[in-house]
Amino acid sequence: MSRIFGEVAALYLGLLRTFSTYRQRSPADQRLAVANLGAAIDGWGGSLRLDLHTVLVLARATAW
């Protein structure tokens, strides 16, 4: 599924904040990532095309 994030880098940066690899970083690294990615998106004209694939895995605990 593709979604075009038109001129709003904030949408992608908000999505970024939900990724576990982002959340595992220190607050200082998180701020740096947001600043650098925001600047990169602006440098590309303010838009980003993202092909995002998600997998959901569910499990249940078994009774012992």
Side-chain angles (χ1 to χ4, degrees), residues 26-45:
S26 70
D29 285 345
Q30 291 175 0
R31 287 188 297 273
L32 186 61
V34 168
N36 288 335
L37 284 170
I41 293 168
D42 288 343
W44 291 322

Side-chain angles (χ1 to χ4, degrees), residues 10-32:
L11 288 174
Y12 177 71
L13 297 176
L15 177 64
L16 172 72
R17 291 180 178 100
T18 68
F19 295 164
S20 64
T21 51
Y22 172 84
R23 297 176 63 83
Q24 292 171 356
R25 304 291 179 186
S26 70
D29 285 345
Q30 291 175 0
R31 287 188 297 273
L32 186 61

